[in-house]
């Protein structure tokens, strides 16, 4: 007996796993649009050292529609990553070791470069020295046999390498994100490289969309959630404490809520806790609990466990568990902080599947001659319960009348603990996608259950020649759902859970049909076990379909053509509804005349030259389908000519001919048999057509034009939709406020109604508007991103001063702190094309006045360099360069430089004496009219005011007053000296007069 290498495989891939994506600003991205990037290195150690990583692109052989291609690649699919359409890379160990023979151990080592293989792929160096943090993320698909896959990092040019990520499981989804925070390795590093290593024998590793990004500042991601302590296939008790979708009332275990979260942001997060809630029937909260709060460093992962365990009450209903990670900081991405699971408390159902059918399992062609059995492992959580029956979901593709039986094995897959009688599948049992019809088949003898015993519950095909399909629903834990072909000892594991269930009751229950209206009602049953049968027509296409029927009793009335001689004979029709069709040759002189035919199908054949064409006229180039209706003899000679020129000498039943140019043509058919010649002619009129030679896009004026077109009118299409009013042979792509991206196509129409359609041209033109094109430092510019979105769009915004933003939002603000001329560039692309949009901006330097207090004055040391200066001193406005006397309060100085940029500086002056020594105070200073002299001790004094050259221009004797007013409005603007004499003491200060 062969041992199959696929025995540890799965039947089908999951479609996607999106646990990790780009949560921040991307710095480097490799999507393999142009193959393995230049500067990357790869190598291999193997038998011949020729097995390498391969690039699969749209134009390679094989191309990107092919995944693994070795001997065990029957289930292989290409990766379904976001940019898989432009290519990916793969190391295909299975192919290199065994490229074509059987998937078994005896053929290992028969390929072009036998394994084991150690194959690596190394990126070019990247500079992360200025990044505040970094995360590596990528899309992958892997499958291990005796192999491992991992990623390493180097920051010293490849001299030393450190492991940063390992793939521990057997197999991934068809497309799966993998992510690792590398901030601790990359701080200040300018020579960072990554090494992707496949090590071992068989299967493959596919990579795409490798990205290094700066993480969001505050971002915690919920990675996994669960409500059991299930440890999986590698543990000592692999089948214990699995999560089930439905629990019977008599077997509800305690729940242990857990969640793993990772701080994928750049900052430390505080007050991090897990909240768990349970909502019953979408309305009622039945549970709410929080874990204690912790602090999580950047990159740290933590598993949160809710204590104590929670045992749900025995109340039938649908329940949903909501998990939320909370923290003190405001999370930058709240969407990845939440997750949920659900379960049901049912009357008797113990189920691992998710209920409604998602897809069907049908044996592969190579296994269809062998009976199969499919099912799931179950753990009994209580002693003394009984399993009375098994529930099975039968899928479309099953032949009604096929026979099945249920078998419950011990976990050794050999010891049989219980069986059902053989059950014949009824038409009403069969599910389509989205349906949940369950066939409950009683065991011959009820099975007494023991606590923590493991039971493998299987549905078994009785006859391999009777097609049988089993419904599947929900993801299966690794190696927990079994597919087996007992006759050939072949074992596989499902990734989608087969709908095979246990029905569990209390020992005192008497399960059975309790409905007196059912055909199989039995008196004395104490609990309904779901086996009640309601006969009727279960075919929804029948005239007398009964939606309540779950057992088709053969009474369906189906109208249709029940005449076996008719062309539309329906073997399922139970009565003739006069829709029979009899199609064939109705011409009695034809050699294949059909006497029962009513509708002629054009198939008549004659013993002389007869032919037809699908059309006799049209626009050039005109493709004509020619049907030869001669009853051809092996001795016959055929000749087809156009205006005398031979186009065919083959006696074929059908062929085509293209008339490339306008004109009138005689298409003549000559047939010669036994010396007798017959001919037939059809005239073909070919009209001149419009023409289009090609489209070009001008990214300067943003127009799509036809390089050479002829036509009387035109119409443009964008993504197969007509553009209203676009009737010239060129079009500006600026429509409705932005440049419209997509596939442009031109239709040209001639006056005779003929038209031509160009090939498509893809236009991707980014576009934005700015709040202004110039400013003064510090200048904040606002950018509105108006780029028309298309599938797979990836954009980078470059402000020209070293600031890059990946996939910018609709509105972006940026602060320029240094003057200069910059170009703001928005680059966007997807797998179909790329484009950019540039705007030049100028930023002028702003001169800030340098203002300082110097003794009794406040002065501006650089105001002489400015064109205009304004002082705001405690709310009073002055012009001029200063200086001005120092007084307590605010000095705001604004100055305009030669660039027209206005700079403002403010200083606050505290505790200033307006005159040299108390007890005198003079204010305001400067003044345009009056000044006030305050004398705190009410003495007599004289005041004299002298101009800049010492001439006294004003004097007064002041007698015993605390405030004295002096009008100086008659003085010219300028600087004066105030002298106050009190007895033998004089006080001096500067005074500024302004007009």
């Amino acid at each position: 007996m062969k041992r199959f290498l696929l025995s540890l495989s799965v039947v089908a891939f999951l479609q996607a796993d999106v646990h990790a994506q780009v949560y921040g600003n991307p710095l480097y991205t490799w999507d393999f649009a142009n193959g393995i990037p230049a500067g990357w290195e790869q190598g291999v150690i193997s038998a011949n050292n020729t097995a390498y990583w391969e690039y699969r692109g749209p134009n390679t052989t094989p191309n990107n529609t092919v995944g693994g291609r070795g001997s065990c690649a029957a289930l292989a699919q290409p990766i379904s990553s976001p940019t898989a359409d432009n290519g990916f890379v793969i190391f295909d160990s299975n192919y290199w070791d065994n490229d074509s023979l059987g998937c078994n151990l005896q053929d290992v080592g028969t390929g072009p470069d036998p394994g084991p293989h150690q194959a690596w792929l190394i990126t070019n160096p990247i500079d992360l020295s200025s990044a505040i943090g970094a995360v590596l993320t990528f899309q992958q698909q892997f499958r291990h046999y005796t192999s491992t896959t991992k990623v390493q990092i180097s920051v010293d040019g490849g001299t030393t390498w450190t492991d940063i990520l390992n793939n521990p499981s057997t197999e991934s989804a068809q497309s799966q994100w993998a992510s690792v925070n590398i901030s601790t390795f990359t701080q200040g590093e300018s020579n960072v490289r990554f090494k992707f290593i496949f090590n071992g024998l068989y299967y493959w590793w596919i990579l795409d969309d490798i990205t290094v990004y700066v993480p969001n500042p505050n971002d915690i991601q919920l990675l996994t959630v669960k409500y059991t302590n299930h440890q999986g296939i590698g543990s000592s008790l692999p089948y214990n404490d699995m999560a089930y979708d439905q629990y019977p009332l008599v077997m509800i275990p305690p729940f242990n809520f857990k969640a793993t979260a990772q701080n994928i942001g750049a900052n430390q997060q505080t007050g991090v806790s897990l909240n768990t809630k349970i909502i019953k029937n979408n309305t009622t909260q039945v549970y709410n609990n929080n874990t204690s709060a912790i602090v999580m460093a950047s990159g740290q992962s933590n598993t949160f466990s809710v204590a104590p365990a929670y045992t749900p009450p025995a109340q039938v209903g649908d329940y949903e568990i909501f998990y939320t990670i909370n923290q003190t900081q405001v999370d930058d991405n709240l969407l990845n902080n939440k997750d949920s699971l659900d379960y049901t408390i049912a009357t008797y159902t113990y189920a691992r599947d998710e209920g409604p059918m998602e897809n069907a399992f049908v044996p592969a062609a190579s296994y269809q001659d062998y009976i199969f059995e499919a099912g799931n492992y179950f753990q009994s959580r209580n002693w003394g319960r009984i399993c009375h029956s098994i529930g099975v979901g039968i899928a479309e593709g099953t032949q009604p009348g096929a026979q099945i039986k249920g078998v419950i094995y011990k976990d050794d897959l050999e010891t049989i603990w219980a069986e059902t009688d053989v059950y014949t599948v009824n038409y009403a049992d069969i599910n389509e996608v989205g349906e949940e019809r369950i066939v409950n088949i009683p065991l011959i003898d009820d099975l007494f259950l023991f606590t923590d015993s493991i039971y493998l519950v299987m549905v078994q095909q009785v006859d391999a020649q009777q097609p049988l399909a089993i419904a599947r629903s929900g993801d299966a834990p690794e190696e927990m759902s079994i597919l087996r072909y007992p006759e050939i000892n072949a074992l596989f594991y499902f990734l989608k859970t087969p709908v095979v269930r246990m029905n569990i009751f209390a020992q005192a229950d008497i399960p059975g049909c309790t409905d007196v209206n059912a055909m199989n009602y039995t008196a004395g049953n104490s609990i309904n076990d779901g086996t009640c049968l309601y006969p009727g027509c279960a075919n929804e296409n029948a005239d007398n379909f009964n939606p309540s029927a779950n057992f088709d009793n053969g009474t369906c009335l189906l109208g249709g053509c029940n005449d076996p001689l008719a062309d539309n004979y329906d073997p399922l029709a139970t009565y003739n509804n006069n829709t029979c069709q009899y199609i064939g040759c109705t011409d009695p002189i034809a050699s294949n005349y059909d006497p029962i035919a009513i509708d002629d199908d054009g198939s008549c054949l004659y013993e002389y030259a007869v032919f037809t064409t699908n059309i006799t006229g049209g626009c050039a180039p005109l493709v004509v389908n020619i049907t030869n209706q001669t009853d051809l003899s092996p001795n016959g000679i055929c000749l087809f000519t156009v205006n005398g020129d031979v186009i065919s000498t083959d006696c074929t039943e059908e062929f085509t001919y293209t008339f490339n140019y306008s004109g009138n043509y005689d298409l003549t058919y000559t047939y010669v048999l036994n010396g007798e010649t017959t001919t037939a002619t059809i005239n073909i009129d070919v009209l001149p057509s419009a023409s289009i030679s090609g489209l070009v896009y001008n990214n300067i004026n943003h127009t799509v034009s036809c390089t050479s077109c002829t036509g009387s009118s035109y119409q443009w299409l964008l993504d197969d939709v007509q553009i209203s009013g676009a009737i010239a042979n060129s079009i500006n792509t600026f429509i409705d406020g932005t440049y419209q991206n997509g596939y442009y196509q031109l239709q040209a129409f001639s006056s005779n109604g003929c038209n031509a359609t160009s090939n498509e041209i893809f236009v991707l033109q980014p576009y934005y508007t700015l709040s202004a094109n110039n400013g003064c430092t510090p200048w904040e510019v606002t950018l509105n991103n108006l780029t028309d979105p298309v599938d797979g769009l990836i954009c980078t915004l470059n402000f020209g001063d070293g600031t890059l933003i990946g996939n910018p939002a609709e509105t972006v603000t940026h602060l320029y702190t240094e003057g200069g001329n910059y170009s703001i560039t928005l680059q966007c692309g997807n797998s179909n094309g790329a484009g950019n949009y540039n705007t030049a901006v100028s930023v002028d330097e702003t001169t800030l006045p340098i203002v300082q207090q110097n003794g009794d004055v406040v002065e501006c040391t650089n105001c002489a360099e400015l064109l205009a200066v304004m002082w705001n001193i405690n709310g009073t406005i002055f012009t001029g360069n200063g200086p001005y006397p120092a007084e307590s309060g605010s000095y705001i100085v604004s100055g305009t430089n030669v660039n027209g940029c206005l700079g403002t500086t403010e200083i606050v002056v505290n505790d200033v004496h307006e005159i040299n020594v108390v007890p005198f105070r003079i204010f305001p200073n400067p003044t345009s009219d009056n000044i006030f002299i305050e004398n705190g001790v009410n003495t007599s004094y004289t005041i004299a005011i002298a101009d800049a050259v010492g001439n006294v221009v004003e004097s007064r004797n002041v007698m015993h007053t605390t405030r004295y007013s002096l009008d100086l409005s008659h003085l010219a603007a300028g600087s004066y000296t105030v002298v106050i004499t009190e007895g033998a003491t004089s006080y001096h200060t500067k005074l500024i007069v302004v007009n």
Side-chain angles (χ1 to χ4, degrees):
M1 186 71 67
K2 293 182 179 179
R3 179 187 172 198
F4 290 84
L5 287 173
L6 281 172
S7 62
L8 294 180
S9 175
V10 293
V11 171
F13 281 104
L14 291 174
Q15 289 302 304
D17 177 4
V18 290
H19 272 317
Q21 299 184 41
V22 179
Y23 297 117
N25 292 325
L27 299 178
Y28 299 92
T29 297
W30 299 284
D31 67 357
F32 304 108
N34 299 304
I36 296 177
W40 283 35
E41 301 174 13
Q42 64 168 311
V44 63
I45 300 173
S46 54
N48 300 326
N49 293 333
T50 58
Y52 286 103
W53 286 80
E54 304 169 78
Y55 167 62
R56 302 274 172 84
N59 301 312
T60 61
T61 303
N63 62 22
N64 56 344
T65 64
V66 178
R69 57 187 175 125
S71 60
C72 296
L75 305 175
Q77 301 178 46
I79 193 170
S80 56
S81 55
T83 66
D85 55 351
N86 68 20
F88 53 81
V89 295
I90 178 174
F91 184 78
D92 194 350
S93 175
N94 177 199
Y95 166 77
W96 291 110
D97 185 86
N98 180 0
D99 56 346
S100 61
L101 297 178
C103 183
N104 50 69
L105 290 175
Q106 69 183 35
D107 295 318
V108 168
T110 58
D113 188 5
H117 305 106
Q118 186 183 85
W120 58 89
L121 190 62
I122 303 175
T123 67
N124 54 284
I126 60 174
D127 184 358
L128 298 177
S129 57
S130 60
I132 61 172
V135 174
L136 171 71
T137 190
F138 54 90
Q139 286 267 283
Q140 67 173 351
Q141 181 196 122
F142 62 84
R143 197 173 185 190
H144 298 152
Y145 183 59
T146 58
S147 54
T148 60
T149 50
K150 68 178 180 179
V151 186
Q152 295 181 331
I153 191 171
S154 173
V155 295
D156 59 5
T159 302
T160 57
W161 293 93
T162 303
D163 290 354
I164 56 173
L165 186 147
N166 289 275
N167 289 316
S169 59
T170 302
E171 188 158 15
S172 73
Q174 185 180 346
S175 185
Q176 176 190 76
W177 285 99
S179 184
V180 57
N181 191 307
I182 55 175
S183 303
T184 56
F185 300 97
T186 60
Q187 290 289 339
E189 298 294 344
S190 61
N191 189 348
V192 179
R193 308 183 79 180
F194 303 103
K195 187 176 188 179
F196 298 85
I197 307 172
F198 181 100
N199 194 3
L201 181 67
Y202 263 51
Y203 306 140
W204 57 80
W205 195 14
I206 304 177
L207 301 173
D208 199 7
D209 299 324
I210 302 172
T211 301
V212 177
Y213 68 89
V214 175
N216 294 323
N218 304 306
D219 196 353
I220 290 188
Q221 180 184 25
L222 196 57
L223 298 175
T224 61
V225 295
K226 56 194 300 188
Y227 57 90
T228 75
N229 290 319
H230 183 227
Q231 299 299 308
I233 195 63
S235 66
S236 59
L237 298 171
Y239 309 112
N240 278 29
D241 208 12
M242 282 188 284
Y244 293 82
D245 183 68
Q246 296 188 51
Y247 296 89
L249 285 170
V250 297
M251 190 178 288
I252 303 173
F255 286 2
N256 294 276
F257 301 113
K258 299 176 185 293
T260 300
Q262 183 180 19
N263 180 4
I264 62 173
N267 297 339
Q268 174 182 274
Q269 303 297 291
T270 60
V272 185
S273 64
L274 171 70
N275 174 259
T276 308
K277 296 178 183 178
I278 301 179
I279 306 297
K280 178 184 179 183
N281 296 333
N282 294 320
T283 58
T284 306
Q285 178 177 294
V286 297
Y287 178 83
N288 190 336
N289 204 346
N290 293 283
T291 64
S292 57
I294 65 169
V295 175
M296 293 183 67
S298 177
Q300 178 183 343
S301 295
N302 187 72
T303 297
F304 297 84
S305 298
V306 179
Y310 168 74
T311 301
Q315 298 174 0
V316 171
D318 295 320
Y319 298 81
E320 190 162 10
I321 311 170
F322 293 94
Y323 300 82
T324 304
I325 286 290
N326 298 306
Q327 78 256 43
T328 304
Q329 292 74 18
V330 177
D331 200 290
D332 293 315
N333 183 13
L334 291 173
L335 293 179
N336 62 3
N337 290 47
K338 302 176 182 293
D339 206 344
S340 64
L341 296 172
D342 62 81
Y343 66 93
T344 295
I345 304 297
T347 304
Y348 53 80
T349 305
Y350 197 25
R352 288 233 326 269
D353 64 89
E354 291 288 335
M357 171 176 150
E358 293 181 28
N359 59 27
F361 165 72
V362 178
S366 57
Y367 292 95
Q368 287 180 353
D369 290 333
Y370 308 104
I371 64 170
F372 73 85
E373 51 188 18
N376 304 298
Y377 283 106
F378 291 86
Q379 177 191 9
S380 172
R381 302 306 298 269
N382 301 92
W383 181 89
R385 310 303 192 253
I386 61 168
C387 176
H388 170 72
S389 57
I390 70 167
V392 180
I394 307 297
E396 54 187 342
T398 299
Q399 174 184 299
Q403 293 185 318
I404 60 174
K405 66 180 293 187
V407 182
I408 300 181
Y409 293 97
K410 188 180 177 181
D411 57 1
D412 61 6
L413 279 71
E414 298 295 334
T415 304
I416 296 177
W417 276 352
E419 294 181 279
T420 71
D421 282 327
V422 172
Y423 177 83
T424 301
V425 176
N426 186 268
Y427 178 87
D429 298 331
I430 298 174
N431 288 276
E432 296 179 356
V433 172
E435 294 182 332
E436 189 178 0
R437 303 178 187 179
I438 304 300
V439 177
N440 293 306
I441 311 173
L443 296 171
I444 298 173
D445 296 303
D446 289 346
L447 177 62
F448 185 89
L449 303 179
F450 295 91
T451 303
D452 291 334
S453 292
I454 304 301
Y455 302 89
L456 177 59
V457 181
M458 306 282 271
V459 59
Q460 186 180 88
Q461 184 183 32
V462 174
D463 184 350
Q465 303 310 310
Q466 297 175 328
L468 174 65
I470 301 298
R472 293 187 297 185
S473 180
D475 301 338
E478 185 178 8
E479 299 187 20
M480 300 297 157
S481 295
I482 306 297
L483 168 66
R484 188 166 69 154
Y485 295 89
E487 297 169 287
I488 56 173
N489 194 28
L491 175 68
F492 300 86
Y493 300 110
F494 289 106
L495 277 183
K496 282 290 183 184
T497 308
V499 181
V500 180
R501 306 170 174 177
M502 298 180 80
N503 295 326
I504 298 175
F505 300 86
Q507 265 188 287
D509 291 334
I510 306 175
C513 178
T514 60
D515 187 350
V516 296
N517 297 311
M519 64 179 286
N520 60 332
Y521 164 72
T522 302
N525 295 327
S526 66
I527 186 169
N528 199 317
D529 65 352
T531 60
C532 289
L533 298 178
Y534 304 93
C537 175
N539 187 339
E540 61 186 16
N541 297 315
D543 301 341
N544 60 332
F545 167 61
N546 181 359
S548 299
N550 69 351
F551 179 80
D552 193 279
N553 61 0
T555 61
C556 292
L557 298 176
L558 289 157
C561 176
N562 61 2
D563 184 355
L565 298 178
D567 292 280
N568 61 331
Y569 168 62
D570 182 359
L572 298 179
T574 60
Y575 68 93
N576 196 319
N577 63 357
N578 299 317
T579 59
C580 293
Q581 297 176 359
Y582 303 90
I583 302 172
C585 176
T586 61
D587 188 348
I589 67 172
S591 58
N592 62 332
Y593 168 64
D594 184 353
I596 70 169
I598 297 175
D599 299 313
D600 196 294
D601 63 354
S603 64
C604 292
L605 299 175
Y606 303 87
E607 294 181 352
Y608 50 87
V610 180
F611 75 104
T612 60
T613 60
N614 64 321
I615 52 177
T616 59
C619 304
L622 180 65
V623 179
V624 176
N625 297 325
I626 301 168
T627 301
N628 190 342
Q629 289 189 262
T630 301
D631 191 358
L632 298 170
S633 168
N635 299 320
I637 299 173
C638 299
L639 177 68
F640 285 86
T641 62
V642 172
N643 287 353
D645 294 328
V646 177
I647 63 169
S648 177
T649 58
D650 294 330
C651 287
T652 58
E653 293 181 358
E654 291 183 334
F655 68 98
T656 62
Y657 182 74
T658 301
F659 294 86
N660 290 302
Y661 306 102
S662 60
N664 192 269
Y665 301 90
D666 284 331
L667 176 59
T668 301
Y669 169 40
T670 301
Y671 182 64
V672 181
L673 179 63
N674 299 328
E676 182 178 350
T677 301
T678 56
T679 63
T681 299
I682 296 176
N683 184 260
I684 307 294
D685 187 22
V686 183
L687 302 174
S689 183
S691 65
I692 299 177
S693 63
L695 301 181
V696 294
Y697 175 63
N698 186 322
N699 61 2
I700 304 299
N701 59 23
H702 309 298
T703 59
V704 181
S705 306
C706 179
T707 56
S708 178
C709 299
T710 61
S712 58
S713 63
Y714 301 93
Q715 176 64 58
W716 284 92
L717 305 176
L718 175 58
D719 294 331
D720 297 325
V721 177
Q722 286 190 359
I723 304 174
S724 177
I727 56 175
N729 63 1
S730 67
I731 184 173
N732 191 307
T733 61
F734 193 85
I735 305 170
D736 295 333
T738 190
Y739 296 105
Q740 298 291 326
N741 296 324
Y743 286 96
Y744 285 81
Q745 202 169 23
L746 177 63
Q747 293 178 331
F749 302 88
S750 61
S751 57
N752 58 19
C754 294
N755 63 78
T757 302
S758 71
N759 292 329
E760 294 179 323
I761 182 173
F762 184 77
V763 173
L764 203 166
Q765 179 59 60
Y767 179 58
Y768 60 80
T769 58
L770 296 175
S771 56
N773 290 80
N774 64 280
C776 301
T777 58
W779 178 47
E780 184 177 81
V781 62
T782 299
L783 179 147
N784 292 315
N785 183 4
L786 301 177
T787 303
D788 182 31
V790 291
D791 290 342
L793 189 67
I794 298 176
C795 296
T796 301
L797 180 60
N798 186 342
F799 281 97
D801 62 350
T803 301
L804 297 176
I805 298 177
N807 291 325
E810 291 184 6
T811 302
V812 180
T813 58
H814 179 65
L815 185 68
Y816 285 98
T817 58
E818 297 182 3
N821 295 317
Y822 302 96
S823 178
I824 301 178
T825 302
L826 178 62
Q827 292 180 314
C828 296
N830 65 3
S831 58
N832 300 314
N836 63 77
Y837 187 80
N838 303 285
T839 302
V841 296
S842 60
V843 184
D844 295 319
E845 288 284 358
T846 299
T847 303
L848 294 178
I850 302 173
V851 183
Q852 60 190 30
Q853 180 184 358
N854 186 6
D856 292 337
V857 299
V858 176
E859 59 184 1
C860 174
T861 60
N862 66 337
C863 282
E865 305 170 10
L866 302 174
L867 297 182
V869 179
M870 182 179 73
W871 294 65
N872 182 335
I873 304 175
N874 291 328
T876 302
I877 304 301
F878 304 95
T879 58
N881 296 338
Y884 290 96
E887 61 180 66
S888 296
S890 170
Y891 286 72
I892 303 173
V893 183
S894 301
T896 303
N897 63 13
V898 294
N899 298 324
C901 294
L902 178 67
T904 300
T905 301
E906 178 180 10
I907 70 169
V908 176
V909 177
N910 297 312
D911 193 25
V912 173
H913 298 285
E914 286 76 5
I915 199 165
N916 290 354
V917 182
V918 293
F920 294 98
R921 177 175 178 265
I922 298 176
F923 64 93
N925 187 6
T927 184
S928 59
D929 42 37
N930 290 350
I931 63 171
F932 298 92
I933 302 98
E934 288 185 348
N935 176 10
V937 294
N938 195 17
T939 60
S940 297
Y941 57 89
T942 63
I943 180 170
I945 298 176
D947 61 17
V949 295
N951 296 320
V952 175
V953 295
E954 194 72 45
S955 64
R956 294 284 192 278
N957 291 317
V958 181
M959 303 298 292
H960 300 287
T961 182
T962 57
R963 173 180 285 197
Y964 182 77
S965 174
L966 182 62
D967 183 6
L968 300 180
S969 60
H970 60 283
L971 295 183
S975 177
Y976 295 84
T977 299
V978 179
V979 180
I980 296 178
T981 304
E982 180 189 30
T985 304
S986 295
Y987 306 100
H988 300 75
T989 189
K990 292 291 185 183
L991 174 68
I992 303 299
V993 176
V994 294
N995 290 328

